[in-house]
Amino acid sequence: MPFLGGKKSKDKTTANAAYQAWQKFGSKAPTIALENFPNTVMSTADEAKKVIELARQKFVEQAKKAGKSETEAKLASERLIGLTWDLGHLNMMRKYGFPEKFVTEETAKIA
């Protein structure tokens, strides 16, 4: 998950991008919607949920360090960091061998 941290600099993270936008634009900051993609860290609903939750957690940590309340930071992170469950990518999953039932079940989970 290079876009969520690791040895990359903080300015390359989803959480930091969302936080910087929030600082600059407040309630008008755009939502960052990560996409699912077959055979990646975002292939399944559970994996996607983990990535989104981690990004939101990092956002909250950064906001709290800057003096924001945890409640305010959590609300902002939930609005600013989301997921696009891309239907075209779901069709690609079928081509990668994921059965239709699996794709349907993952879509129901993420809904």
Side-chain angles (χ1 to χ4, degrees):
M1 296 183 287
F3 53 89
L4 288 177
K7 296 192 185 248
K8 298 264 183 186
S9 65
K10 284 188 173 185
D11 63 344
K12 303 252 186 235
T13 67
T14 301
N16 196 59
Y19 181 75
Q20 287 180 9
W22 186 49
Q23 280 188 307
K24 186 171 183 176
F25 301 109
S27 64
K28 295 183 182 191
T31 298
I32 297 174
L34 303 175
E35 289 190 20
N36 62 307
F37 200 82
N39 293 332
T40 68
V41 71
M42 301 278 288
S43 289
T44 68
D46 291 335
E47 292 167 341
K49 182 179 177 183
K50 286 178 188 174
V51 169
I52 299 302
E53 287 175 348
L54 181 58
R56 288 175 177 172
Q57 176 187 346
K58 297 287 184 190
F59 178 101
V60 171
E61 289 170 8
Q62 190 170 2
K64 285 173 57 179
K65 284 181 186 175
K68 303 291 184 183
S69 76
E70 185 167 351
T71 301
E72 180 184 16
K74 281 184 178 180
L75 289 172
S77 75
E78 290 169 3
R79 188 185 76 70
L80 295 173
I81 302 171
L83 173 73
T84 296
W85 197 243
D86 189 288
L87 297 176
H89 293 164
L90 292 176
N91 287 326
M92 288 174 66
M93 289 176 80
R94 296 293 312 283
K95 290 180 182 179
Y96 279 97
F98 290 89
E100 183 175 345
K101 181 179 179 183
F102 175 82
V103 173
T104 302
E105 288 171 352
E106 290 302 296
T107 300
K109 279 186 198 178
I110 205 70

